[in-house]
Amino acid sequence: MKFETKYLIRWGIPGWILIFWVFYQVLFLKGINPLDSKFSDIKNGLTLLISLTALGVPIGYLLHQIYFGVAWVLNKNRHEAVKRNARQVSPNFPRHPQWGRNGDQDYFQFEYVWHAVLLNLDVEKRTYIEGRYRHLLSTIHGLGSLFVSSAISLLVTALIIFTHLPEAPFNLYFWTGLVFQLAIFLSAVFNYGYFSNNLTAFQIKMLKTYL
């Protein structure tokens, strides 16, 4: 897969999901039948589809940035996790002189050691470890963006419910959609935790083996 296509899909999916759920909830709550509207016309429908598809990519990119900023840049728990992971690797883990005083620098040092270890491996081992690491990290970031997208769509749904209380309780399709929204949200949460733990364990075991 080409670089551009890969990242367009990664950023597009969260945006498309958010747009889909907002449209879904509004259409069914308002009782709008797309087949009876002006968008049932092929030309209008295709124009709308192309527009929403294009719009989903920048929205997804922004959702990805929100996730990355909150879960990685501003997350102070990550700093403690780095120190804990270093201790698990070895009591003699290569630490920089200011270790423990700056969480970001600790993380950069941990990543530096990780990549230095990879560079010292033979090509076959390095290729396998890099591929596995890239897959896990990419999956984590994808799930993180999906989590943010699902969380925002649920907030929008909650807002729709509170502003349309007379209609909401009697719309089966609306509540069916909400159940699916919750299922996707919870799946993203649990899968994010699973793959994060998987990546941490993989990285620690490899550093223990080759450091």
Side-chain angles (χ1 to χ4, degrees), residues 116-117 136 147 154 197:
V117 167
L136 291 172
F147 165 80
L154 284 171
N197 293 335

Side-chain angles (χ1 to χ4, degrees), residues 10 67 72 114 128-144 191-204 206:
R10 175 185 295 180
Y67 146 72
W72 287 75
W114 168 247
Y128 166 75
I129 295 174
E130 285 179 345
R132 179 65 177 166
Y133 180 78
R134 186 182 301 111
H135 164 70
L136 291 172
L137 192 61
S138 176
T139 301
I140 289 169
H141 290 331
L143 289 168
N191 289 337
Y192 182 88
Y194 171 81
F195 280 97
S196 296
N197 293 335
N198 194 338
L199 177 63
T200 299
F202 175 77
Q203 199 171 24
I204 290 173
M206 289 300 168

Side-chain angles (χ1 to χ4, degrees), residues 58-152:
I59 290 177
Y61 176 78
L62 293 176
L63 294 174
H64 181 82
Q65 296 307 310
I66 292 172
Y67 146 72
F68 200 84
V70 173
W72 287 75
V73 178
L74 300 177
N75 184 8
K76 301 304 180 183
N77 292 329
R78 182 173 58 86
H79 299 160
E80 292 301 319
V82 168
K83 291 186 285 187
R84 183 173 61 251
N85 294 344
R87 289 194 299 269
Q88 291 185 48
V89 171
S90 172
N92 300 318
F93 184 87
R95 296 168 171 81
H96 63 84
Q98 303 298 319
W99 182 267
R101 299 183 184 179
N102 187 309
D104 288 333
Q105 292 301 321
D106 293 347
Y107 173 75
F108 299 153
Q109 174 69 11
F110 191 89
E111 286 293 295
Y112 164 77
V113 173
W114 168 247
H115 287 282
V117 167
L118 293 180
L119 289 174
N120 289 327
L121 298 178
D122 61 64
V123 175
E124 184 177 354
K125 291 179 181 177
R126 183 169 64 247
T127 300
Y128 166 75
I129 295 174
E130 285 179 345
R132 179 65 177 166
Y133 180 78
R134 186 182 301 111
H135 164 70
L136 291 172
L137 192 61
S138 176
T139 301
I140 289 169
H141 290 331
L143 289 168
S145 299
L146 179 60
F147 165 80
V148 173
S149 175
S150 298
I152 293 177

